[in-house]
């Protein structure tokens, strides 16, 4: 009789465990992990949340292993976990802590919904990554009692062969404060684990800001801007995972955003390479950018059920691999031709691009359940953090970019300093091409306006008064720009001063100048007009390819001889005419007629003739306002009026008119 009674008591005590899986977490202090197996069943039925539902025929599953490892390979859809829990009797609020759930879940306590992870209704939404620890507050009325804990999960079809299937680790029960502390501890652990990728992001951000600063210093060097965009976007991408784990988003949206980010990074990377290596925009660059803009589109289709993530990921893999090969071939060709910058970029570009393609292929294999681990190629995996090859290669690429940016800037600064010194010397030489002060004579009044272009040119003019009251004047333009043109102009002016002292005729002066310049111009030439004005107004002039002068707004017939320094032994024809008192003779450089506005319209000879009777400053200002592209030089000679009028003219004209 006593034996039967004991058997009956033991049967009654074991009856709850037989009917439902049971765990007692009432005695241990602090957060307690629910290590007992749970009842598990695939499918979906709201009645499975009820505490009186008989789940004794359900399978037993451990939560520290994925369900594919426990006989449910490739299963996707709804499933339920159930277990009976005995809570501690305490006055504090209790909570349940769920770890890294890679799907959508609902938590029920005695049939009552107490928490939701992701979105289950009306249509489940896959999160991909949930918060590291998700706290679910338990009703205070359950403290000290035994209740039925049911978790309804939904698993998307895509990653069912991977790690995140259903629940991924044993949940914990404790006070709400303890679970919050556990969440903070797991967040800190995750932050420590993210140190390698954050280091890559920090380096990328620093180099990006450095490149942005270089661009602000040199606005025309847009390769610094493309490098800054590439590096700063890469830094944002590195820190984006932290945002994703702390503020989870729907997985399909995150995958699409990730694809867009990666495409933008690669586009800016290609633009940087092309601009930095001075490669003209070609079909390879155009096609690459178009493909990268289109690549994220298939990645966004799985959310609509059109294709699977595996199928959507394949175009990205092929595009990134094809671009890596094509750009690699371009860099190899440039490096073979001796481009130092291409040699610098070659290795880090190939490594980073190759890793992007390999990672994409590895991800596809992961979603196809061919590989079981997360799609990452690890270099080092420790207890606190891990380093993968993609991070190493990206860090190398960033350091290579920083090195070549610094090298390019140093070379540019050195070149700018050299050009600045050259420009200063050229401007100093250019100042010798025009007289500091125009002479005043009894019979003639002179005006001049000279407006230098942004580049140093070779316009010159000189006025040489003679003892008998006559005047010799010359105006010309040296072909080319820069210090070389200015130096040649100085040589011409020096020769003119020497020849002016010999009392030669204008044609003889041009012939002598031509003989001296033929052997010294090194492929260049000089246009020049030389004129001699007697005190009685007799004008004799010869022209070597320069613009004809204007007399009172009418172009003079002067012919057009060959420019100086082209053909040895060239002779020049002289032309004569008489200037009446008050006549105005105007000489122009080609910078006046070749001034061009934004529409591409030249100032032209017609406009020049229309205003040629106006003061020199007015003519120069009109050409400059139209759109200056070259040095603008205007030299005007006015024959004095009668004595009474001449005094009035002198009062009206300044001593020197020179811009």
């Amino acid at each position: 009789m006593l034996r039967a009674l004991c058997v009956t008591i033991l049967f009654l005590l074991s009856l709850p465990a037989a009917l439902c899986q049971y765990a007692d977490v009432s005695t241990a202090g602090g957060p307690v992990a629910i290590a007992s197996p749970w009842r598990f069943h695939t499918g979906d039925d709201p009645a499975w949340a009820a505490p009186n539902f008989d789940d004794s025929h359900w399978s037993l599953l451990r939560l520290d292993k994925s369900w594919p490892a426990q006989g449910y390979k490739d299963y996707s859809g709804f499933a339920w976990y159930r277990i009976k829990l005995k809570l501690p009797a305490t006055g504090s609020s209790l909570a349940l802590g769920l770890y890294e759930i890679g799907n959508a879940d609902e938590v029920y306590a005695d049939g009552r919904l107490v928490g939701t992870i992701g979105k289950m209704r009306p249509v489940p939404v896959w999160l991909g990554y949930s918060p590291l620890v998700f706290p679910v507050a338990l009703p205070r009325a359950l403290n000290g009692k035994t209740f039925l804990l049911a978790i309804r999960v939904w698993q998307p079809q895509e990653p069912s062969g991977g790690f995140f299937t259903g629940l991924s680790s044993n949940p914990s029960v404790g006070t709400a404060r303890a679970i919050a502390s556990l969440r903070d501890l797991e967040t800190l652990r995750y932050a420590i684990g993210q140190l390698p990728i954050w280091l890559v992001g920090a380096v990328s951000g620093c180099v990006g800001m450095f490149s942005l600063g270089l661009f602000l210093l040199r606005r025309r060097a847009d390769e610094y801007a493309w490098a800054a965009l590439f590096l700063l976007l890469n830094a944002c991408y590195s820190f984006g995972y932290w945002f994703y784990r702390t503020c989870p988003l729907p997985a399909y949206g995150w995958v699409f955003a990730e694809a867009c980010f990666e495409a933008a990074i690669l586009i800016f990377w290609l633009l940087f390479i092309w601009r930095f290596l001075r490669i003209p925009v070609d079909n390879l660059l155009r096609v690459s950018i178009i493909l990268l803009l289109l690549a994220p589109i298939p990645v966004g289709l799985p959310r609509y059920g059109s294709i699977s993530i595996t199928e959507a990921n394949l175009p990205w893999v092929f595009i990134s691999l094809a671009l890596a090969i094509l750009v690699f071939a371009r860099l190899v060709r440039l490096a073979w031709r001796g481009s130092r910058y291409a040699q610098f970029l070659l290795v880090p570009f190939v490594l980073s691009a190759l890793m992007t393609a390999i990672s994409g292929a590895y991800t596809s294999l992961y979603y196809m359940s061919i590989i079981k681990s997360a799609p990452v190629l690890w270099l080092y995996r420790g207890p606190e953090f891990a380093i993968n090859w993609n991070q190493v290669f990206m860090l190398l690429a960033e350091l290579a970019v920083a090195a070549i940016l610094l090298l390019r800037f140093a070379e540019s600064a050195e070149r700018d300093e050299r050009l600045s010194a050259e420009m200063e010397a050229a401007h100093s030489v250019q100042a010798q091409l025009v007289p500091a002060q125009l002479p005043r004579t009894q019979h003639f009044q002179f005006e001049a306006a000279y407006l230098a272009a942004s580049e140093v040119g070779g316009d010159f003019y000189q006025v040489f008064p003679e003892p008998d009251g006559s005047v010799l004047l010359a105006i010309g333009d040296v072909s080319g720009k820069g210090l070389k043109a200015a130096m040649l102009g100085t040589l011409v002016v020096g020769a003119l001063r020497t020849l002016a002292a010999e009392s030669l005729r204008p044609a003889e002066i041009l012939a002598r100048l031509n003989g001296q310049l033929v052997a010294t111009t090194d492929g260049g030439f000089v246009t020049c007009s030389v004129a001699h004005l007697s005190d009685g107004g007799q004008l004799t002039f010869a022209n070597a390819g320069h613009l004809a002068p204007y007399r009172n707004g009418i172009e003079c017939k002067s012919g057009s001889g060959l420019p100086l320094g082209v053909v040895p032994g060239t002779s020049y024809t002289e032309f004569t005419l008489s200037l009446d008192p008050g006549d105005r003779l105007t000489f122009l450089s080609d910078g006046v007629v070749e001034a061009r506005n934004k529409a591409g319209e030249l100032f032209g000879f017609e406009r020049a003739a229309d205003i040629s009777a106006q003061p020199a400053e007015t003519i120069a200002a009109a050409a400059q306002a139209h759109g200056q592209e070259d040095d603008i030089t205007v030299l005007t000679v006015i024959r004095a009026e009668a004595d009474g009028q001449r005094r009035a003219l002198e009062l009206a004209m300044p001593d020197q008119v020179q811009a």
Side-chain angles (χ1 to χ4, degrees):
M1 183 71 179
L2 180 61
R3 181 179 178 182
L5 179 61
C6 291
V7 171
T8 302
I9 293 173
L10 289 174
F11 172 76
L12 293 174
L13 290 174
S14 62
L15 186 60
L19 294 177
C20 184
Q21 197 64 15
Y22 174 80
D24 185 353
V25 293
S26 62
T27 56
V32 180
I34 305 173
S36 302
W38 291 53
R39 292 291 181 182
F40 174 80
H41 198 279
T42 58
D44 190 33
D45 189 340
W48 295 349
N52 56 358
F53 175 76
D54 180 11
D55 60 9
S56 59
H57 61 285
W58 285 17
S59 303
L60 286 175
L61 251 65
R62 295 170 53 182
L63 297 192
D64 56 351
K65 292 184 178 181
S66 63
W67 69 39
Q70 301 180 76
Y72 293 89
K73 183 179 180 180
D74 297 330
Y75 175 75
S76 61
F78 289 98
W80 285 74
Y81 295 86
R82 286 170 54 95
I83 195 169
K84 283 237 177 199
L85 288 182
K86 183 176 181 181
L87 297 179
T90 176
S92 302
S93 298
L94 297 176
L96 176 71
L98 299 177
Y99 294 81
E100 292 190 320
I101 297 176
N103 42 45
D105 297 63
E106 288 180 342
V107 181
Y108 294 86
D110 275 345
R112 175 187 171 189
L113 181 64
V114 294
T116 301
I117 301 175
K119 182 181 179 183
M120 291 285 281
R121 304 171 190 272
V123 179
V125 175
W126 173 32
L127 280 181
Y129 288 102
S130 70
L132 299 165
V133 176
F134 186 81
V136 178
L138 298 174
R140 189 182 288 267
L142 296 177
N143 289 10
K145 298 180 181 180
T146 300
F147 75 102
L148 188 285
L149 176 63
I151 301 179
R152 178 190 183 217
V153 303
W154 174 79
Q155 180 65 44
Q157 182 178 2
E158 301 294 347
S160 56
F163 181 75
F164 285 125
T165 48
L167 302 179
S168 61
S169 59
N170 295 322
S172 297
V173 176
T175 64
R177 179 175 295 180
I179 295 298
S181 298
L182 185 63
R183 178 191 61 197
D184 295 340
L185 182 63
E186 289 297 317
T187 303
L188 178 61
R189 180 186 63 81
Y190 177 75
I192 294 174
Q194 291 295 295
L195 287 178
I197 193 171
W198 286 355
L199 174 62
V200 174
V203 171
S204 184
C206 292
V207 178
M209 293 302 296
F210 172 69
S211 182
L212 181 61
L214 296 182
F215 172 68
L216 294 177
L217 290 174
R218 297 179 56 83
R219 295 295 182 92
R220 289 186 292 182
D222 53 358
E223 62 267 27
Y224 297 128
W226 297 126
L229 288 171
F230 158 67
L231 293 163
L232 293 176
L233 266 184
N234 196 60
C236 293
Y237 183 77
S238 300
F239 290 99
Y241 281 103
W242 173 259
F243 173 79
Y244 185 35
R245 295 306 300 268
T246 55
C247 304
L249 299 172
Y252 291 127
W254 170 257
V255 172
F256 180 70
E258 185 178 23
C260 291
F261 242 87
E262 289 180 353
I265 290 172
L266 286 178
I267 287 174
F268 291 135
W269 175 241
L270 290 176
L271 289 170
F272 163 68
I273 290 177
W274 253 250
R275 190 66 185 90
F276 195 84
L277 298 180
R278 301 290 190 265
I279 304 174
V281 176
D282 53 12
N283 289 332
L284 175 58
L285 179 61
R286 295 188 186 98
V287 172
S288 300
I289 292 176
I290 291 173
L291 289 177
L292 288 172
L293 290 174
L294 296 177
I297 295 178
V299 181
L301 297 179
R303 66 175 302 176
Y304 304 105
S306 306
I307 57 176
S308 67
I309 286 186
T310 302
E311 295 169 334
N313 196 56
L314 289 177
W316 176 259
V317 174
F318 290 131
I319 289 174
S320 57
L321 184 58
L323 290 181
I325 294 173
L326 292 174
V327 177
F328 169 73
R330 176 62 61 86
L331 289 176
V332 167
R333 186 169 65 179
L334 291 173
W336 183 263
R337 292 176 178 176
S339 172
R340 237 185 348 162
Y341 295 120
Q343 294 165 1
F344 272 120
L345 285 171
L346 188 60
V347 173
F349 172 81
V350 172
L351 293 178
S352 60
L354 190 60
M355 282 306 303
T356 299
I358 293 175
S359 297
Y362 204 43
T363 301
S364 296
L365 295 175
Y366 168 73
Y367 285 127
M368 294 167 66
S369 301
I370 297 176
I371 58 174
K372 306 302 180 184
S373 60
V376 179
L377 297 177
W378 299 108
L379 171 65
Y380 165 79
R381 297 190 71 175
E384 300 298 336
F385 62 87
I387 302 173
N388 64 60
W389 283 105
N390 198 28
Q391 295 165 352
V392 173
F393 293 147
M394 183 55 68
L395 183 62
L396 290 176
E398 292 166 357
L399 294 176
V401 170
I404 62 176
L405 287 176
L406 190 60
L407 180 62
R408 168 65 67 84
F409 186 78
E411 291 180 350
S412 299
E414 182 181 355
R415 184 174 61 253
D416 288 348
E417 185 177 354
R418 185 172 61 252
L419 289 176
S420 177
E422 182 179 326
M423 288 293 290
E424 184 177 351
H427 282 296
S428 177
V429 171
Q430 190 178 33
Q432 308 299 318
L433 302 182
V434 296
Q437 184 176 359
L438 288 171
R440 297 179 60 87
T441 68
Q442 180 180 1
H443 306 289
F444 302 100
Q445 183 75 35
F446 300 96
E447 299 175 13
Y450 175 72
L451 301 176
S454 56
E455 295 184 85
V456 175
D459 279 15
F460 62 89
Y461 65 88
Q462 294 290 320
V463 179
F464 304 104
E466 297 183 353
D468 61 357
S470 60
V471 175
L472 181 70
L473 57 87
I475 183 170
D477 184 10
V478 178
S479 64
K481 301 291 180 184
L483 182 59
K484 182 178 179 181
M487 291 296 292
L488 182 56
T490 305
L491 176 64
V492 174
V493 169
L496 280 171
R497 288 173 179 166
T498 301
L499 295 173
E502 297 183 19
S503 300
L504 299 174
R505 297 180 63 82
E508 295 174 331
I509 292 176
L510 289 178
R512 293 274 295 274
L513 281 174
N514 181 68
Q516 295 181 23
L517 294 177
V518 164
T520 59
T521 54
D522 192 22
F525 60 88
V526 179
T527 66
C528 184
S529 283
V530 177
H532 182 271
L533 281 167
S534 68
D535 57 356
Q538 185 72 17
L539 172 67
T540 304
F541 66 95
N543 190 8
H546 201 73
L547 299 181
Y550 293 87
R551 176 188 180 189
N552 299 330
I554 301 175
E555 184 178 354
C556 300
K557 294 181 180 181
S558 63
S560 182
L562 288 175
L564 304 176
V566 177
V567 178
T570 302
S571 60
Y572 296 92
T573 304
E574 291 184 348
F575 299 86
T576 61
L577 58 87
S578 296
L579 295 183
D580 298 326
D583 279 356
R584 179 185 292 267
L585 186 66
T586 303
F587 294 87
L588 307 175
S589 71
D590 56 4
V592 176
V593 296
E594 293 178 0
R596 188 187 304 270
N597 60 20
K598 294 181 179 179
E601 182 183 10
L602 292 173
F603 190 80
F605 288 95
E606 187 176 346
R607 287 192 181 92
D610 290 342
I611 64 171
S612 62
Q614 298 184 21
E617 282 189 340
T618 303
I619 299 172
Q624 185 183 48
H626 189 79
Q628 181 177 5
E629 292 188 348
D630 197 356
D631 292 344
I632 293 174
T633 304
V634 182
L635 177 62
T636 298
V637 183
I638 306 169
R639 186 181 177 191
E641 300 276 3
D643 291 343
Q645 295 175 333
R646 181 169 174 272
R647 178 55 181 165
L649 181 64
E650 290 178 352
L651 293 175
M653 303 301 298
D655 290 340
Q656 179 182 353
V657 182
Q658 188 173 1

